[in-house]
């Protein structure tokens, strides 16, 4: 076995390990829903299919599919079809993550923003799937290996930046809401701090994914196939960071389901709107 084949197998092992970890997280999520959400809250089976549950389920399965396709890509000599499948599920995972963040925070944004600004922001959000699908679209363009890699890198970085900027703005708005409540001498309910803590953690992990992906792509472009040890390492860390994002969101769900409800408090910025109402859609269906 030559060095190139050996490193390709190592990259495939990293990807398959990540796929396995994500499937374990998926099983954990289903266990949380079945043993806590359904039993302790006395909900109907239909609550399995709430929007946050469906988005979180798809986020994890898209990540696992991305990792599995990437393993195929590395093991089978980097076939074009494997790359197309990998970029499709990667793009889908970005869209799913962004809309999960939106479901978590959109009522807070409504409380923090003017009606016009909120509508504009929502319009921007609804157009981002087009940006997120650009890595998949570019993977369909016939080109030589170097050009294909450049197109994929540029499109993936652009879509990743869009997701991170929007997600960071969601997290910032939520933390601003908590700070306003605290400044009004009202104790923040624990649910809001949980969402802010794990939301920021997931955002930071997404930022790590972006930088690791850029590093691995640049390394792949400027090193030959026989000296890609750094590329192998960065590639493995990229997939590991995705598992960290999924873990943070599942852990957030678990903690939100186990905290006790707290009294309603007044939103400092919008008359007749409460802080509790600003996230009740997410908390009520988490």
């Amino acid at each position: 076995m030559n060095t190139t084949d050996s490193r390709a197998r190592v990259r495939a092992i990293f990807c398959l390990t990540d796929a396995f970890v994500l499937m374990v997280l998926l099983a954990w999520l289903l266990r949380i829903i079945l043993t806590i959400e359904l039993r302790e809250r006395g909900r109907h089976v239909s609550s399995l299919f709430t929007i946050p549950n469906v988005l979180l389920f798809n986020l994890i399965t898209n990540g696992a599919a991305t990792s599995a396709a990437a393993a195929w890509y590395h093991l089978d000599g980097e076939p074009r079809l494997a790359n197309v499948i990998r970029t499709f599920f990667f793009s889908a995972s970005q869209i799913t993550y962004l809309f999960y963040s939106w479901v978590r925070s959109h009522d807070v944004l409504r409380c923090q923003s003017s009606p016009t600004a909120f509508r504009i922001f929502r319009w921007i959000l609804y157009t981002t799937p087009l940006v997120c699908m650009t890595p998949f679209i570019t993977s369909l363009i016939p080109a030589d290996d170097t050009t294909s890699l450049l197109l994929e890198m540029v499109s993936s970085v652009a879509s990743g930046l869009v997701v991170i900027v929007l997600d960071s703005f969601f997290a910032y708005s939520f933390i601003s809401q908590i700070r306003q409540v605290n400044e009004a001498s009202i104790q923040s309910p624990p649910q809001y701090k949980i969402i802010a803590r794990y939301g920021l953690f997931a955002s930071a992990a997404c930022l790590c994914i972006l930088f690791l992906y850029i590093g691995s792509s640049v390394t792949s472009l400027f090193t030959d196939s026989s000296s890609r040890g750094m590329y192998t390492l960065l590639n493995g860390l990229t997939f590991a960071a995705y598992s960290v994002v999924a873990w943070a969101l599942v852990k957030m769900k678990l903690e939100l389901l186990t905290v006790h409800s707290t009294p309603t408090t007044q939103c400092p910025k919008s008359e007749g709107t409460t802080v509790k109402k600003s996230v009740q859609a997410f908390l009520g269906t988490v």
Side-chain angles (χ1 to χ4, degrees):
M1 183 187 301
N2 59 41
T3 303
T4 302
D5 290 340
S6 176
R7 285 175 176 162
R9 284 175 169 77
V10 170
R11 289 194 290 272
I13 290 172
F14 276 137
C15 296
L16 290 174
T17 301
D18 180 69
F20 174 77
V21 170
L22 288 169
M23 295 311 295
V24 171
L25 288 173
L26 182 63
W28 185 29
L29 172 64
L30 292 174
R31 183 177 181 274
I32 289 170
I33 294 172
L34 294 173
T35 61
I36 299 178
E37 188 167 17
L38 293 183
R39 186 183 62 188
E40 293 192 5
R41 292 191 173 185
R43 291 187 170 185
H44 192 268
V45 177
S46 61
S47 65
L48 285 170
F49 304 103
T50 61
I51 291 176
N53 282 350
V54 170
L55 287 173
L56 189 52
F57 179 88
N58 278 287
L59 175 69
I60 297 173
T61 53
N62 285 333
T66 302
S67 299
W72 174 24
Y73 177 77
H74 293 304
L75 282 176
D76 200 23
E78 303 184 352
R80 181 180 177 81
L81 178 59
N83 188 53
V84 170
I85 295 173
R86 175 174 64 92
T87 53
F88 172 78
F89 282 110
F90 173 73
S91 298
S93 67
Q94 287 186 311
I95 295 169
T96 307
Y97 175 78
L98 190 57
F99 276 87
Y100 185 82
S101 298
W102 170 255
V103 170
R104 180 184 68 213
S105 306
H106 76 280
D107 282 323
V108 170
L109 290 173
R110 192 193 304 274
C111 186
Q112 291 277 324
S113 310
S114 67
T116 301
F118 181 79
R119 283 195 298 271
I120 293 173
F121 193 85
R122 184 171 56 187
W123 180 85
I124 293 173
L125 175 79
Y126 290 161
T127 60
T128 52
L130 296 174
V131 179
C132 291
M133 289 304 292
T134 52
F136 169 66
I137 295 170
T138 57
S139 70
L140 299 173
I141 299 174
D144 60 80
D145 291 344
T146 301
T147 304
S148 295
L149 184 58
L150 278 171
L151 287 172
E152 181 184 336
M153 182 178 70
V154 171
S155 59
S156 296
V157 169
S159 63
L161 280 173
V162 169
V163 171
I164 289 171
V165 168
L166 291 176
D167 183 52
S168 298
F169 185 72
F170 294 157
Y172 171 78
S173 297
F174 208 101
I175 292 172
S176 296
Q177 184 79 345
I178 294 174
R179 185 167 59 247
Q180 288 179 16
V181 174
N182 290 336
E183 288 174 355
S185 300
I186 303 171
Q187 184 178 5
S188 299
Q191 293 98 324
Y192 312 149
K193 294 180 180 179
I194 290 170
I195 293 174
R197 180 168 65 248
Y198 286 105
L200 278 178
F201 190 85
S203 297
C206 286
L207 190 61
C208 289
I209 290 174
L210 180 64
F211 284 122
L212 287 167
Y213 175 79
I214 293 173
S216 64
S217 297
V218 171
T219 303
S220 178
L221 276 172
F222 295 103
T223 57
D224 57 51
S225 58
S226 63
S227 56
R228 289 189 177 181
M230 182 58 68
Y231 168 68
T232 300
L233 175 63
L234 294 175
N235 187 265
L237 291 175
T238 302
F239 284 98
Y242 191 97
S243 293
V244 172
V245 173
W247 171 85
L249 298 180
V250 175
K251 181 66 172 175
M252 178 202 294
K253 179 178 182 67
L254 175 62
E255 292 201 14
L256 285 172
L257 286 171
T258 54
V259 296
H260 296 289
S261 60
T262 54
T264 299
T265 53
Q266 188 69 25
C267 173
K269 199 175 177 183
S270 178
E271 183 179 356
T273 305
T274 63
V275 175
K276 185 174 182 179
K277 284 182 179 179
S278 66
V279 289
Q280 69 181 357
F282 179 74
L283 297 178
T285 56
V286 73

